[in-house]
Amino acid sequence: MASEGRIEEIKRAALGEISAATTTDELEAVRVRYLGRSAELTEIKKSIGSLPAEERKVVGKGVNVASGEIERDLQSRREELAAAEQEARLRAEAVDVTLPGVTRERGSLHPSLRVVDDIVDFFVGLGYGVAEGPEVETDYYNFTALNIPPGHPARGMQDTFFLDEGLVLRTHTSPGQIRTMLTREPPVYVVVPGKVYRRDSDPTHTPMFHQIEGLAVDRGLTLAHLKGTLAAMARHVFGEEVGIRLRPSYFQFTEPSVELDVSCFACDGRGDPDCRVCKGAGWLEMLGAGMVDPAVLSEVGYDPEEFTGFAFGMGPDRMAMTRYGISDLRLFFEGDLRFLEQF
Ligand code: PHE
């Protein structure tokens, strides 16, 4: 019988294609070709009804057996291929947990900032507040209110960066004194850390550097309070053994004015002629200070008969150079990681 032989042929072809299929998609195409709605076997099955009763049974059985066998082969091949595909996908997606991770570099505090933090912490411990002011400052706050009137020679000594009319880059943090006193009633105890600017550039001067201003105004403050405060600060920053001395000095906005020196930590204040830090002086200049000039108190509306005050201004960059033995200030502001990573 023609169809019986044909069924056998179809089956063999199908089984051959099933084992040749290399992907589940290919296998699905094989299934459609041999068992789908328009497959030849399906056609034969549909025609069974019109066959003579005799043949019906034989052909019917033949078709069922053949499609059963194709079905089984499809199923086992499908499992094989699916497993292989899954395996390949897992291998492609595999994460190698032994690869080194992406490390985040850890930064470090800038040497100047370490000194600023240290000093600000010290004063906060004494009950001082912390204030900040703008780096673009008016001529009035930077000079006039600090007893440096227009045309005064002290202005010329500051190497000021002048901006538009009446504006400058602040040359010191002392305008912080004025801003504080104008917005608060005495007593005031405050430190003002920040950046300041002067037209200056050499191994120990940079156009931008840091200062910390200090201001105390209260009833009955004297130079003794100033000296005691600065001595305590020096011990905090440079150690208990440090010696201090006050030298007379001059600032427009303090009277009297002093400069504070600390004993050289490198030669213990002996002033060794070959000491690289103090160059034989035995002392290091640390800051300028003084009793707030009564003219400044009056300017901000404080009564100089009732209140007295002291102020001081220091350079934490210089202090960091001293503390860490760095000889060129310009290194501080170049942002070179090889330098910064050492702290
Ligand atoms: N502003 C002064 C300077 O930059 C320092 C100073 C501050 C002096 C406060 C006295 C009082 O040199």
Side-chain angles (χ1 to χ4, degrees):
M1 193 179 309
S3 23
E4 264 181 277
R6 183 65 193 139
I7 290 169
E8 188 57 27
E9 257 173 51
I10 294 171
K11 189 190 84 184
R12 225 175 291 121
L15 297 188
E17 283 185 43
I18 288 170
S19 61
T22 56
T23 67
T24 48
D25 286 346
E26 266 176 52
L27 192 66
E28 175 59 12
V30 174
R31 187 193 67 77
V32 171
R33 201 152 48 245
Y34 288 96
L35 299 179
R37 224 176 307 152
S38 47
E40 203 181 332
L41 267 189
T42 313
E43 293 301 329
I44 294 174
K45 213 173 185 173
K46 278 190 216 150
S47 68
I48 288 175
S50 57
L51 292 177
E54 198 64 352
E55 280 177 44
R56 235 184 258 170
K57 224 173 155 189
V58 186
V59 174
K61 191 174 172 211
V63 169
N64 282 343
V65 170
S67 39
E69 222 170 300
I70 294 173
E71 204 82 75
R72 256 193 319 279
D73 263 32
L74 274 172
Q75 178 60 21
S76 65
R77 184 70 183 144
R78 193 179 294 123
E79 279 163 15
E80 256 171 57
L81 289 176
E85 280 169 14
Q86 159 123 322
E87 174 77 4
R89 193 167 50 246
L90 287 180
R91 213 176 301 119
E93 288 171 0
V95 174
D96 182 353
V97 293
T98 67
L99 281 176
V102 179
T103 51
R104 276 169 198 254
E105 301 270 348
R106 218 188 148 106
S108 60
L109 290 180
H110 190 281
S112 291
L113 186 57
R114 284 172 187 267
V115 172
V116 171
D117 282 352
D118 206 12
I119 291 168
V120 169
D121 277 356
F122 169 78
F123 282 103
V124 166
L126 288 188
Y128 282 60
V130 182
E132 280 181 287
E135 290 166 31
V136 173
E137 191 50 282
T138 65
D139 183 282
Y140 175 76
Y141 286 114
N142 197 78
F143 294 120
T144 308
L146 288 162
N147 209 23
I148 313 175
H152 193 282
R155 291 189 170 208
M157 289 163 54
Q158 295 250 5
D159 294 314
T160 311
F161 284 109
F162 292 96
L163 305 174
D164 288 347
E165 243 176 286
L167 292 179
V168 298
L169 289 181
R170 66 178 175 190
T171 58
H172 51 180
T173 42
S174 298
Q177 291 185 35
I178 306 301
R179 290 182 173 273
T180 302
M181 290 189 281
L182 283 177
T183 52
R184 297 188 210 178
E185 289 304 314
V188 298
Y189 290 87
V190 68
V191 284
V192 186
K195 294 185 172 85
V196 302
Y197 301 85
R198 294 186 198 173
R199 278 177 32 225
D200 223 347
S201 189
D202 65 41
T204 55
H205 296 87
T206 49
M208 185 283 293
F209 57 102
H210 296 91
Q211 281 194 339
I212 304 174
E213 194 79 8
L215 173 72
V217 181
D218 206 337
R219 291 180 182 84
L221 287 183
T222 69
L223 196 66
H225 294 111
L226 171 61
K227 185 176 179 182
T229 303
L230 296 181
M233 180 204 70
R235 284 197 301 272
H236 174 77
V237 179
F238 296 105
E240 287 299 319
E241 304 307 315
V242 77
I244 65 157
R245 72 176 182 188
L246 294 183
R247 268 184 300 108
S249 186
Y250 179 78
F251 300 102
Q252 278 291 123
F253 36 92
T254 48
E255 181 57 36
S257 299
V258 295
E259 265 171 67
L260 175 84
D261 295 343
V262 299
S263 57
C264 177
F265 64 91
C267 65
D268 279 333
R270 284 188 307 273
D272 293 347
D274 52 357
C275 177
R276 285 191 313 142
V277 176
C278 68
K279 310 212 164 55
W283 295 95
L284 301 167
E285 270 182 43
M286 220 65 291
L287 54 82
M291 300 306 292
V292 180
D293 194 302
V296 174
L297 294 175
S298 300
E299 180 70 27
V300 298
Y302 284 10
D303 179 0
E305 297 295 324
E306 190 182 355
F307 293 99
T308 54
F310 59 77
F312 49 87
M314 63 192 118
D317 309 312
R318 288 290 175 77
M319 293 164 94
M321 287 175 81
T322 309
R323 190 195 250 187
Y324 300 113
I326 302 157
S327 56
D328 194 330
L329 183 60
R330 291 171 297 194
L331 283 169
F332 279 51
F333 308 117
E334 283 169 355
D336 188 332
L337 287 179
R338 291 168 303 178
F339 171 74
L340 294 171
E341 276 169 353
Q342 297 176 46
F343 303 97

